[in-house]
Every structure is written in C-alpha cells, then in structure tokens.
Amino acid sequence: MRVEILGQERRRRWCDDKKLEIVMSVGVDGATVTHVAQRHEVTRQQIYAWRHELKKKKGVLSPATIFLPIEMPEPL
C-alpha cells in the first residue's frame, strides 16, 4: 500500500528549551497566551500543556536561585 502525504505535515517536535522559551514569553510586554500561540503557530491548549509538563519536570518553572556579582573591598 502506498501512502501519499498531501499538504504540509503539522506535527513538529519541540525541545524543552524552546517550549520553555515559548511558555515564558506569555505576559512579556502584555503578550497573552492567544498572542503567543498565534505567533508560534500552536494552540493555546498546547501552551497550557507545555506549562504543566515543564512544572512536572524538575520544577523547571519554579523560581530559581539567582546569583549576582558583587564587589567586596580588600580586607585590611
């Protein structure tokens, strides 16, 4: 049996880094889930599913510790 694909295939693979980038762009400069989904050509539900998935994976979306450089004077 021969199968011919007509049109563009819509199944895409997304790495966790790209998913995180898309999910974290919601709210930046007032971007809504709908706007972000349209920009990346995914559904709103897909963004919610990624958010849920990334939360389950080692707490990727939880607040992380941030290290900032400081300057300390030389001890006398």
Side-chain angles (χ1 to χ4, degrees), residues 13-72:
R13 304 279 185 233
W14 300 88
C15 67
D16 284 347
D17 291 337
K18 187 64 178 174
K19 289 177 187 178
L20 182 60
E21 178 186 324
I22 292 171
V23 168
M24 296 303 286
S25 67
V26 174
V28 175
D29 295 329
T32 63
V33 174
T34 301
H35 291 124
V36 172
Q38 289 171 347
R39 185 178 331 133
H40 295 283
E41 297 180 351
V42 296
T43 64
R44 291 177 310 154
Q45 184 55 37
Q46 186 67 63
I47 293 177
Y48 290 121
W50 287 345
R51 182 186 293 171
H52 180 74
E53 172 190 334
L54 293 168
K55 280 182 182 178
K56 286 175 61 176
K57 281 187 178 181
K58 302 177 188 173
V60 172
L61 294 179
S62 63
T65 303
I66 298 174
F67 293 96
L68 300 173
I70 62 168
E71 292 185 28
M72 297 181 66

